[in-house]
Amino acid sequence: MKLNFPLLALATGAFGIGITEFAPMGLLPDMAEGLGVSIPAAGLLVSAYALGVMLGAPLMTLTTARMKRRTLLIALMGIFTLGNFLSAIASDYAMLMVARVITSLNHGAFFGVGSVVAASIVAPEKRASAVAAMFMGLTLANVIGVPLAPWIGESFGWRTAFGGIAVWGLVTMAALWFALPDTPQPAGSDMRAELGVFRRREVLVALALTAIGSAAMFTVFTYIAPILKEATGIGTLHVTAMLVIYGLGLTFGNWLGGVFADRSIDRTLIVSLAGLAATLLIFAAAMFQPLAAAVTIFVWGVATFAIVPPLQMRVMEAASDAPNLASAVNIGAFNLGNAVGAAVGGGVIGLGLGFPVVSIAGAAMAVAGLVIVLVSRKKVAGGTAIAI
């Protein structure tokens, strides 16, 4: 896809949101020490953000249903900027917790509405690629921003990291103002219409598929650091390198998923979920050898994010007449999958079954998603659709 400034502005916002969501995981020790709390208590800041995403997605989308799309996206990034600024100046744990919840409120609505806007400003046959272009900012955050944030935190303090993210929010607001067309909300897309799509079985199944696909990733990824340190036997520096390799895989997979989803959403999901299941099964054995682990982790990253553009397009098409809320709730479904996957992986570890079984459990999640796609898929006149 040629350089598209509106998509670039949306990707800029996705990049910032990706950093503010994942970077605190690497800043937890510094944050805990600075606030005088335990690391588990600091970890609740991550959980609070995820909960805020799930609640904020429908809340923000419904209450802003009649706003112009450019105005709404800029306002959402204003919330993002405010939340990160408050995080930077937080005087105690309670204030930081409130700041993190405020920051999270924009997340689901920005990606949900942003996906609809991205798909609307390109030719119909390029809609999945446009959604992938916006999500490219999220994947690049994993390659560049997430490893950079802990270094900034260690060198200049964790507050500086949040301050830098707040500045990025201001840059994004300016980019959205100058690059996005000032289009109104489509007629007929009001609160009743947005809520009405959840009576459709195909929308609910699409959301469930998103949650299961996300759970397949986070069953293993949540525990990737201890897996690499204990099973693979590598040090902290090499763990960082592995995470960068994984981020590169995510970036390539996101692009690949967008390209192929423009041709067929369901076929892309089938191949990607099958590849994800196979890769996680291989990783159960490959995790014990550094080179094999590195190669497998890259392929795992490719398969993981190759499912994201088609999953987002699937729910948008299932709710095509009122897609904003469904698209935003789909982002919440990703976060629900994160929580479910982390719980499943933690349960396997708690039972003493070992890290390879964690990877096998993730593969089982991917197989469950594959079964849903195969059962729900059918042919309609004129080609393959996502109807059920």
Side-chain angles (χ1 to χ4, degrees):
M1 185 176 291
K2 296 179 180 179
L3 183 62
N4 185 309
F5 286 106
L7 292 181
L8 183 60
L10 291 169
T12 300
F15 181 83
I17 293 174
I19 296 176
T20 202
E21 179 180 18
F22 295 115
M25 298 175 188
L27 295 170
L28 284 184
D30 293 330
M31 293 165 64
E33 182 180 356
L35 296 168
V37 299
S38 66
I39 288 182
L44 292 177
L45 295 167
V46 177
S47 301
Y49 185 94
L51 179 62
V53 173
M54 294 176 62
L55 296 176
L59 177 65
M60 298 301 295
T61 306
L62 285 175
T63 56
T64 59
R66 296 188 179 277
M67 288 181 65
K68 292 184 177 181
R69 303 296 85 184
R70 183 178 71 169
T71 303
L72 172 57
L73 289 168
I74 293 172
L76 291 171
M77 287 312 298
I79 295 172
F80 167 91
T81 303
L82 173 63
N84 280 291
F85 174 74
L86 291 176
S87 297
I89 65 171
S91 58
D92 54 31
Y93 178 78
M95 182 177 176
L96 183 57
M97 178 68 77
V98 171
R100 290 298 292 165
V101 173
I102 290 173
T103 307
S104 70
L105 294 177
N106 81 96
H107 184 125
F110 185 89
F111 277 109
V113 175
S115 295
V116 176
V117 171
S120 71
I121 57 179
V122 297
E125 67 274 12
K126 292 292 184 181
R127 290 186 301 163
S129 292
V131 172
M134 187 189 75
F135 275 89
M136 191 70 73
L138 182 62
T139 64
L140 288 176
N142 283 276
V143 179
I144 302 171
V146 173
L148 185 62
W151 175 81
I152 293 175
E154 185 175 338
S155 301
F156 306 102
W158 60 269
R159 298 178 189 278
T160 304
F162 282 113
I165 298 171
V167 172
W168 188 266
L170 292 174
V171 172
T172 302
M173 291 173 70
L176 293 170
W177 175 263
F178 287 108
L180 284 186
D182 191 19
T183 55
Q185 171 70 323
S189 187
D190 56 15
M191 185 179 295
R192 180 178 295 181
E194 296 285 352
L195 287 170
V197 300
F198 292 99
R199 292 196 296 265
R200 301 174 190 171
R201 182 171 175 268
E202 61 267 28
V203 172
L204 298 178
V205 171
L207 293 172
L209 180 58
T210 294
I212 292 172
S214 177
M217 169 188 175
F218 278 90
T219 297
V220 187
F221 183 68
T222 304
Y223 305 97
I224 190 64
I227 287 173
L228 292 174
K229 287 182 178 180
E230 297 180 30
T232 313
I234 60 177
T236 302
L237 182 62
H238 288 92
V239 170
T240 302
M242 289 285 198
L243 292 177
V244 172
I245 290 172
Y246 184 71
L248 291 171
L250 295 178
T251 303
F252 182 64
N254 177 68
W255 170 79
L256 206 62
V259 170
F260 283 101
D262 278 330
R263 303 176 185 179
S264 172
I265 291 173
D266 280 355
R267 283 199 298 269
T268 303
L269 283 173
I270 290 169
V271 172
S272 299
L273 286 167
L276 179 59
T279 304
L280 288 174
L281 287 175
I282 293 171
F283 186 59
M287 66 174 61
F288 297 100
Q289 208 284 327
L291 181 59
V295 174
T296 309
I297 282 173
F298 177 79
V299 178
W300 172 27
V302 173
T304 293
F305 244 71
I307 70 175
V308 172
L311 283 175
Q312 192 71 6
M313 285 301 303
R314 201 176 206 264
V315 75
M316 286 165 56
E317 290 197 3
S320 58
D321 54 328
N324 294 288
L325 180 59
S327 181
V329 171
N330 198 46
I331 304 301
F334 276 112
N335 282 267
L336 176 61
N338 296 356
V340 171
V344 170
V348 170
I349 294 171
L351 292 172
L353 299 178
F355 289 130
V357 180
V358 174
S359 195
I360 292 171
M365 289 282 190
V367 170
L370 178 60
V371 170
I372 290 176
V373 178
L374 292 174
V375 170
S376 64
R377 186 169 181 254
K378 77 174 185 179
K379 298 284 184 178
V380 295
T384 303
I386 62 170
I388 296 176

